[in-house]
Amino acid sequence: MEEEIVDAVKAVETAVANVVEQAAEQGGHHGDALIWIAFAIAVAALLGLGFMRLKQPPLVGFILAGLLLGPTGMGVISTSENVALLAEMGVVVLLFFIGMELSIKAFVRSINQAVLVAGGQLVASMALAALLAFMLDASLSETIILGFIIALSSTVVAMKMLDEMGELRSEPGRVAIGVLIAQDIAVVPMLILVSSLGGESIDFGAIAFKVVVAVALLGGLLWWFGRNPKLKLPFAEAIEDNIDLLAIGSLAMCFSAAALSGLAGLSPVYGAFLAGIIVGNSTLRSRVIPVIEPIQSILLVVFFLSIGLLIDLDFILENIWLVLAAALLVVALKTVLNILLLRITGSDPKTALVAGLSMAQIGEFSFVLAAAGFASGAFGSDIYRLAIAVTAISLLVSPVWFNLVERVENLATEGPGSYKEALAQAYEGELDGVENVVWSARARYRALRFALYQRRARRAEAKPDNVAVAATDEAVPEIPADAQASAADGSGASGAPAAKPSKDG
């Protein structure tokens, strides 16, 4: 009996030890994961803050953070699967948010222009893709997919840039949103066609049917809400003051509609957009928007990080001139094309400039199209990596390009003699900031040299007479007059720089 008790006690001790060991291992694993997550968030925040201090869009810093931490960078994030899932959620929530904020009357007014501009973009993109395909000796299927990829613009980046400029709810924002929504709807037939280019026969009847269904659903919703009052959702009065239920209920509706749309063969973001229209035309609109906006912002930061993770630095370095030339060519030509199409379809010069610049990049759905073409075998490995690199770089440089051209154009219309003068005036603030940093560093350096000299002098005076006499025979380094002036102005031992003199002396 005693032996059985002893055996039972030993068994319990062994089980407890195993549980403790497993808990320690899991705790250490999760602890390491949390450290890297914290590091990634900190790097993204610091780079975003740095670009904001340089008066550039912070999203460029988020993309660079993903590039820095990705598999071809520091390798902190070795896989992008989980990040890609969160990024897709960010895009879905963004389209849901756009649907909520969409003005039905304003969108209906812009439908004709949006369709014409989106169609013109597709035709011109196919011509540019044919040129690139000729240079790269690509096949017909690869040419078609490249045309689709170039035609699309990024809803996420364009919305973010317009919002930071305060133009999201003005005329340029309305026009750009109309064109971007037309592109998002066009993604549905594009995906179906790309998936069918891998060798199987193309069912044009199925493609046409799904397009008709998508247009009919959108048209029906716009017609209904344009003629009827605000929709009263179930339990609206019970949950309108409960932030938790508003958030979880809205997200449940968003992702449910996205899932149903995906199962039906349409784009998930299309379903999320329709759900946003429904919520935005309900009595809960004003309560839901401030609850969803912070969630959307967090997921969009993850989206920009995921863009950086997709960039293959090794491939870019091996083909640096080809990638840069293709990216800059696409961004420049899309800018000119967008402005030209918007002017032809009736937009004023200011609206055409701002809206056209906001759509100069290649869109996030281009990643999806490239992946679908590669999976179906219609896209070669080299073309696929080139398309991913060009898309990512266009997203990276687009905010800077937008900022640069918009500033220069605004100043050029005010009277500078040339674009060179406009460029200097546009970035006068940044140049002054860099000048201040350089001047401060030089002042601190001079003050430090003078402080070290004073310290050596005091030590020499404190030594015995014979040592002091010997020290006087040594050459004393000459202290520059500007260093002495800096110290005299109060920048000596503390190392703090004096006030910067004015340009007038």
Side-chain angles (χ1 to χ4, degrees), residues 426-438:
Y427 283 88
E428 183 178 3
E430 284 84 345
L431 294 175
D432 286 344
V434 172
E435 182 182 351
N436 289 335
V437 170
V438 173

Side-chain angles (χ1 to χ4, degrees), residues 201-277:
S201 59
I202 302 175
D203 190 349
F204 289 102
I207 296 175
F209 175 75
K210 291 181 179 180
V211 173
V212 170
V213 170
V215 173
L217 284 174
L218 179 60
L221 280 178
L222 296 179
W223 177 84
W224 172 264
F225 286 120
R227 293 174 173 267
N228 291 279
K230 294 283 186 179
L231 179 66
K232 187 174 181 180
L233 297 175
F235 310 107
E237 295 180 356
I239 67 173
E240 63 181 2
D241 295 323
N242 191 311
I243 295 177
D244 297 331
L245 287 177
L246 282 174
I248 196 67
S250 301
L251 291 177
M253 185 171 182
C254 167
F255 289 111
S256 297
L260 291 174
S261 178
L263 291 174
L266 304 175
S267 173
V269 295
Y270 178 74
F273 176 67
L274 295 183
I277 292 177

Side-chain angles (χ1 to χ4, degrees), residues 8 105 111 124 156 160 215 288 297 300 326 335 347 370 381 400 404 415 491 497 503:
K105 294 181 181 180
I111 281 182
V156 178
K160 198 71 174 175
V215 173
V288 172
S297 298
L300 287 183
T335 299
S347 293
S381 176
V400 180
L404 168 64
S491 60
K503 294 182 179 180

Side-chain angles (χ1 to χ4, degrees), residues 54-95:
L54 292 174
K55 299 182 181 180
Q56 300 299 317
L59 62 90
V60 179
F62 302 149
I63 297 175
L64 287 178
L67 174 61
L68 180 66
L69 301 173
T72 58
M74 296 173 59
V76 173
I77 305 176
S78 58
T79 176
S80 60
E81 292 181 0
N82 294 332
V83 177
L85 176 60
L86 289 175
E88 290 176 10
M89 292 172 61
V91 177
V92 168
V93 174
L94 174 68
L95 267 295

Side-chain angles (χ1 to χ4, degrees), residues 11 25 67 75 115 138 165 175 232 238 257 269 284 315 333 345 387 461 487 505:
E25 291 178 355
L67 174 61
V115 172
M165 276 193 64
V175 171
K232 187 174 181 180
V269 295
L284 289 177
F315 176 81
L333 289 181
T345 53
E461 292 175 358

